[in-house]
Amino acid sequence: LFFFLHKIHSIIPYLISKLNIHMKCTIHSDQPLSPKSKELLHDFVKFCKMKLEIENLPSNIQLFTSRDSGGMTTGGYDPHSHKIMVLAGRRMLLDILRSIAHELTHHKQNERGNLLELVQEYDTDINAPYENEAYEKSGNLIKEWTRVKIKENPDIYNLYVR
């Protein structure tokens, strides 16, 4: 019994680190977000961390209302600063979350150590394996998370960020 309790006690810090109960990722927006949107954003990032098995979340996810602010299409990830930028203006919340999942997949690729190598290997991101992985995972993550959240938030398909 002592051996068993000792093993359980030694694995608890590992499990806590995997769940990352104390999320260290800040979500900033250049426009105010509703309390419901903030809650769902944080919940989704935690879900992605767990599903993608991300060791350390990026320090910052920045939501922009226009493309001019962030200089990207609907999202971007900087592998050097580990920051994520996502276009949020006039988009459905689920679309924003899918973009976040896409960029978090790139963050995971960066953690694995092969993102920069893959980016340099391909002339374009169109049909590049690292982009295809991000598209696939982001679609599956949003689908899986939504199937659970729809029960608590039946209006989830109608939430927009202005």
Side-chain angles (χ1 to χ4, degrees):
L1 182 62
F2 175 75
F3 177 76
F4 177 73
L5 290 175
H6 179 16
K7 283 290 183 189
I8 294 255
H9 180 68
S10 65
I11 201 166
I12 288 174
Y14 170 78
L15 292 174
I16 288 173
S17 75
K18 286 296 178 192
L19 293 173
N20 196 17
I21 292 169
H22 307 288
M23 188 167 73
K24 297 172 186 154
C25 179
T26 343
I27 299 173
H28 298 282
S29 176
D30 62 359
Q31 293 294 316
L33 297 170
S34 72
K36 177 55 105 185
S37 292
K38 285 181 189 178
E39 174 191 332
L40 292 171
L41 279 161
H42 284 284
D43 185 75
F44 184 69
V45 169
K46 287 180 189 177
F47 176 80
C48 288
K49 180 191 185 313
M50 179 186 66
K51 289 294 187 173
L52 293 171
E53 298 179 355
I54 293 173
E55 292 293 322
N56 297 299
L57 285 169
S59 59
N60 184 8
I61 296 175
Q62 180 69 50
L63 304 179
F64 294 101
T65 30
S66 71
R67 290 175 67 178
D68 298 338
S69 304
M72 75 275 165
T73 53
T74 56
Y77 172 70
D78 183 335
H80 302 290
S81 68
H82 308 283
K83 291 186 180 176
I84 290 175
M85 297 134 311
V86 172
L87 179 64
R90 295 187 218 129
R91 290 180 72 196
M92 289 188 68
L93 181 64
L94 291 177
D95 290 333
I96 295 165
L97 296 177
R98 183 178 13 260
S99 292
I100 289 172
H102 181 100
E103 302 311 330
L104 283 170
T105 302
H106 289 317
H107 179 69
K108 178 60 182 181
Q109 293 165 336
N110 199 29
E111 279 190 341
R112 284 192 315 240
N114 65 339
L115 178 61
L116 292 174
E117 177 184 305
L118 288 170
V119 169
Q120 291 171 358
E121 187 177 329
Y122 293 87
D123 294 336
T124 179
D125 58 353
I126 297 171
N127 290 322
Y130 66 94
E131 276 298 317
N132 290 342
E133 178 187 5
Y135 286 125
E136 177 186 349
K137 288 195 185 287
S138 62
N140 288 334
L141 286 165
I142 198 69
K143 188 182 290 186
E144 183 179 351
W145 182 81
T146 304
R147 286 181 179 168
V148 171
K149 289 297 165 181
I150 191 78
K151 295 168 187 151
E152 304 164 15
N153 303 282
D155 62 338
I156 201 165
Y157 286 102
N158 298 317
L159 297 175
Y160 284 86
V161 175
R162 305 265 178 237

